[in-house]
Amino acid sequence: MSKLRVSCFTVSLDGYGAGPSQDEQNPLGRGGIDLHRWLVSTRTFQRVHGRAGEGTTGVDDDFARRGDENVGAWILGRNMFGPVRGPWPDERWRGWWGENPPYHVPVFVLTHHARRPLEMEGGTMFHFVTGGIEEALRRAREAAGGADVRIGGGAATIRQYLRARLVDEMHIAISPVLLGAGESLLEGVDLRALGYVVTAHVPSAAAMHIVIGRAPGA
Amino acid sequence: MSKLRVSCFTVSLDGYGAGPSQDEQNPLGRGGIDLHRWLVSTRTFQRVHGRAGEGTTGVDDDFARRGDENVGAWILGRNMFGPVRGPWPDERWRGWWGENPPYHVPVFVLTHHARRPLEMEGGTMFHFVTGGIEEALRRAREAAGGADVRIGGGAATIRQYLRARLVDEMHIAISPVLLGAGESLLEGVDLRALGYVVTAHVPSAAAMHIVIGRAPGA
């Protein structure tokens, strides 16, 4: 069955999914890039970014690869799409990723400000959804045609879907870094009360991988 | 040199050092006991609790053993000593651990309410300190005679010492469990701004071990 899932979302030891002070030079906020060391080193990440055959295999790569499998559509919060806030001043901002973003499927961007769909190279089409998380999910499921829908983040978007109990599976990686401040993934979200449990945990040298799913009967 | 350190303090994936609803039946709060699986299984823990020769060796045991080495005095927050709140109604509460607590050195308990020292079997002496964290540290260092002073917890006590930049080294273990609510160890504490960095991280099958120390020059 088509799942709504979070994969490869990385948090710091102190629970932040991105550092403070996000801007065009620091899409992940100050210190945020350190979070993703485990992922960047993998063969899967290197392949997706045009360096086939490079990178490591093993636990980290297994999670990276599974994260990319069977994804029919993505959902992103607006800050994951870019640093622009408020109404779109124009259509010049086309995402952090250049003309060929690493999605290659429809991507639904949550925003309060309408914008025309944006077709990129390589099969990525950005749709801007102003109707909230359920509308985005409905449209993403439709676009995914039976494959999974993956939430890319950021933390606030994931929290909204968790609170609505709509997430079927969430893989997070805890990186051994301190960000000190930033956007907390789980602050104020009682996953246990929402019916979630840890279904797998696998350590690697670079991160602690955790899979969270619904408790039996939840 | 004598260090002020935290060792073997365990937090859940969602950052809690104890579950909610602490009481006499649940000294670690609801769900809190799950946190400590990695520790309870070790040879060191089993030995300290009278079952010499039982338990596992390896990464978890290495951390457990090092945590117990060279400790000359302990500092505990009042809730770690017991569930009694407010003025002591009498002297009947003598800690969670029975007549022979696993400390065997002087233990300084932070409280707002004076109480006479309490001598237990096996070398443990509880002192009740009403003058705050710096007084407790001064007295503990004196009692430790050059050995380290270990902060047992809880989270609020550790946070106070971290904010005052008095902690020299902190080993935490992240257990793959969700508590959902409880006492957060790091909420509102910007370790990075306080001059701390991750100095070691070692995964085991049961936990992610992290050592935090002062940044060079901090």
Side-chain angles (χ1 to χ4, degrees), chain A residues 132-151:
Chain A
I133 62 169
E134 306 207 357
E135 181 188 323
L137 178 56
R138 186 178 51 70
R139 292 179 57 188
R141 275 204 206 283
E142 221 171 272
D148 292 346
V149 175
R150 180 168 163 186
I151 305 173

Side-chain angles (χ1 to χ4, degrees), chain A residues 31-32 37 51 63 66 77 80 82 112 150 188 193 209:
Chain A
R37 292 240 166 84
R51 292 177 291 273
F63 276 101
R66 283 202 295 266
M80 273 214 54
H112 294 294
R150 180 168 163 186
H209 295 279

Side-chain angles (χ1 to χ4, degrees), chain A residues 103-136:
Chain A
Y103 298 105
H104 312 297
V105 291
V107 177
F108 295 83
V109 178
L110 293 160
T111 170
H112 294 294
H113 304 281
R115 180 171 165 177
R116 292 182 303 179
L118 178 59
E119 186 167 8
M120 308 296 288
E121 293 169 19
T124 298
M125 170 82 99
F126 291 113
H127 299 273
F128 299 89
V129 181
T130 55
I133 62 169
E134 306 207 357
E135 181 188 323

Side-chain angles (χ1 to χ4, degrees), chain A residues 35 37-39 41 60 174-176 203-209, chain B residues 201 203 208:
Chain A
L35 281 179
R37 292 240 166 84
W38 73 268
L39 178 61
S41 68
D60 295 329
I174 302 177
S175 277
S204 78
M208 181 174 185
H209 295 279
Chain B
H201 58 101
M208 182 173 184

Side-chain angles (χ1 to χ4, degrees), chain A residues 70-208:
Chain A
N70 195 37
V71 177
W74 287 72
I75 294 172
L76 304 183
R78 182 175 177 182
N79 297 358
M80 273 214 54
F81 177 70
V84 184
R85 303 288 182 267
W88 304 99
D90 51 51
E91 299 195 346
R92 278 186 300 175
W93 181 263
R94 297 166 66 82
W96 299 106
W97 308 274
E99 286 305 300
N100 189 350
Y103 298 105
H104 312 297
V105 291
V107 177
F108 295 83
V109 178
L110 293 160
T111 170
H112 294 294
H113 304 281
R115 180 171 165 177
R116 292 182 303 179
L118 178 59
E119 186 167 8
M120 308 296 288
E121 293 169 19
T124 298
M125 170 82 99
F126 291 113
H127 299 273
F128 299 89
V129 181
T130 55
I133 62 169
E134 306 207 357
E135 181 188 323
L137 178 56
R138 186 178 51 70
R139 292 179 57 188
R141 275 204 206 283
E142 221 171 272
D148 292 346
V149 175
R150 180 168 163 186
I151 305 173
T157 299
I158 296 173
R159 276 201 304 273
Q160 284 188 69
Y161 280 101
L162 286 169
R163 286 207 184 96
R165 302 182 196 229
L166 291 169
V167 175
D168 296 302
E169 186 185 287
M170 176 163 76
H171 159 231
I172 58 178
I174 302 177
S175 277
V177 300
L178 292 169
L179 290 181
E183 206 180 347
S184 166
L185 176 61
L186 294 179
E187 192 176 326
V189 178
D190 185 337
L191 284 180
R192 203 169 156 129
L194 289 167
Y196 290 102
V197 293
V198 176
T199 57
H201 58 100
V202 186
S204 78
M208 181 174 185

